[in-house]
Amino acid sequence: DQQVKQNSPSLSVQEGRISILNCDYTNSMFDYFLWYKKYPAEGPTFLISISSIKDKNEDGRFTVFLNKSAKHLSLHIVPSQPGDSAVYFCAASAGLNSGNTPLVFGKGTRLSVIA
Amino acid sequence: DTGVSQDPRHKITKRGQNVTFRCDPISEHNRLYWYRQTLGQGPEFLTYFQNEAQLEKSRLLSDRFSAERPKGSFSTLEIQRTEQGDSAMYLCASSLGFGTSVQETQYFGPGTRLLVL
């Protein structure tokens, strides 16, 4: 049973437009959420995170929104650039609730930004 | 700070052989994690250490897998009697955790890609 779901395997966006990547989770114990970006043959690179006490966190072109009641989070990238083309993973942990620090990942969404 | 490093980056082995991977975390990080990623999937947790203590192991970590972090610095992951199903990317991550503060960010290394023939 997948606790973190990224239902869109792929997404194509025009350069300069907004990219919205979605993630749903089922475990209500999750209280910390992260987005990672991954290029082929490399490890995931940390992008941005959000704690369950917040509903929005912004860092430059990247903004993460958290809707706890819907158990849903999204990553907005604006404006999208060709270098953003990669696989994006949503991850969650239940640290404060259970002391359980290992991350649970979704299957990823492949973003293609078209010039 | 050079980030998390892993060695080797690639390993091809024959079924039944033993392999060992090494991970060097970011120097001041006290927590170290091993994950495995197969094609089309996200990384899956295998095990983690806080300093030299191995605190949790996943059901994915069969008896053929063993991990150590002898001095609380680098870690090794050994797979004995490899099987074709062990073919995957093995990822190491590290983080700095303080006591009960567990909302820490994990930083990943480049991974070791294992192919078992």
Side-chain angles (χ1 to χ4, degrees):
Chain A
D1 179 33
Q2 270 221 298
Q3 298 185 70
V4 177
K5 299 178 185 178
Q6 294 178 257
N7 292 320
S8 298
S10 62
L11 174 69
S12 288
V13 171
Q14 205 76 23
E15 181 180 6
R17 306 295 290 267
I18 185 170
S19 295
I20 300 176
L21 296 98
N22 293 303
C23 177
D24 297 293
Y25 62 96
T26 58
N27 188 340
S28 57
M29 299 288 279
F30 288 148
D31 57 16
Y32 190 54
F33 304 89
L34 308 91
W35 285 93
Y36 287 86
K37 172 181 177 181
K38 188 177 185 300
Y39 293 116
E42 294 184 11
T45 301
F46 170 71
L47 270 180
I48 192 168
S49 63
I50 188 166
S51 166
S52 57
I53 61 173
K54 295 185 176 182
D55 54 19
K56 177 182 173 181
N57 189 27
E58 193 171 353
D59 184 3
R61 297 186 298 115
F62 302 92
T63 302
V64 57
F65 295 92
L66 175 62
N67 183 334
K68 282 186 295 182
S69 61
K71 293 191 176 70
H72 176 83
L73 62 154
S74 60
L75 174 68
H76 293 209
I77 306 172
V78 58
S80 300
Q81 300 173 353
D84 296 330
S85 297
V87 177
Y88 289 77
F89 289 99
C90 171
S93 73
L96 280 181
N97 283 323
S98 69
N100 184 18
T101 62
L103 296 174
V104 179
F105 283 83
K107 290 188 176 184
T109 296
R110 180 177 301 279
L111 173 66
S112 300
V113 180
I114 305 162
Chain B
D1 176 18
T2 57
V4 179
S5 62
Q6 293 186 245
D7 184 69
R9 294 290 307 273
H10 304 274
K11 179 71 177 179
I12 300 174
T13 191
K14 293 183 179 178
R15 190 176 52 186
Q17 298 293 304
N18 298 345
V19 295
T20 300
F21 309 141
R22 177 180 170 126
C23 171
D24 287 88
I26 294 171
S27 58
E28 68 270 22
H29 284 185
N30 57 344
R31 290 181 177 150
L32 186 149
Y33 301 79
W34 286 98
Y35 292 83
R36 180 175 71 183
Q37 185 180 16
T38 54
L39 199 61
Q41 303 293 320
E44 295 174 290
F45 167 71
L46 292 177
T47 187
Y48 100 92
F49 294 83
Q50 177 155 308
N51 300 311
E52 65 275 8
Q54 188 172 17
L55 295 187
E56 188 171 342
K57 292 194 283 189
S58 159
R59 294 171 300 171
L60 293 176
L61 210 68
S62 77
D63 291 344
R64 296 184 296 105
F65 288 69
S66 62
E68 293 183 342
R69 194 182 183 198
K71 295 182 180 179
S73 56
F74 73 92
S75 175
T76 58
L77 177 68
E78 181 183 17
I79 309 174
Q80 295 183 326
R81 305 181 304 280
T82 52
E83 301 173 355
Q84 288 182 324
D86 297 331
S87 296
M89 171 81 88
Y90 289 84
L91 293 161
C92 176
S94 71
S95 68
L96 185 60
F98 298 95
T100 56
S101 168
V102 290
Q103 288 191 339
E104 82 275 20
T105 298
Q106 295 179 25
Y107 295 90
F108 283 81
T112 294
R113 183 167 293 283
L114 172 67
L115 178 60
V116 182
L117 301 176

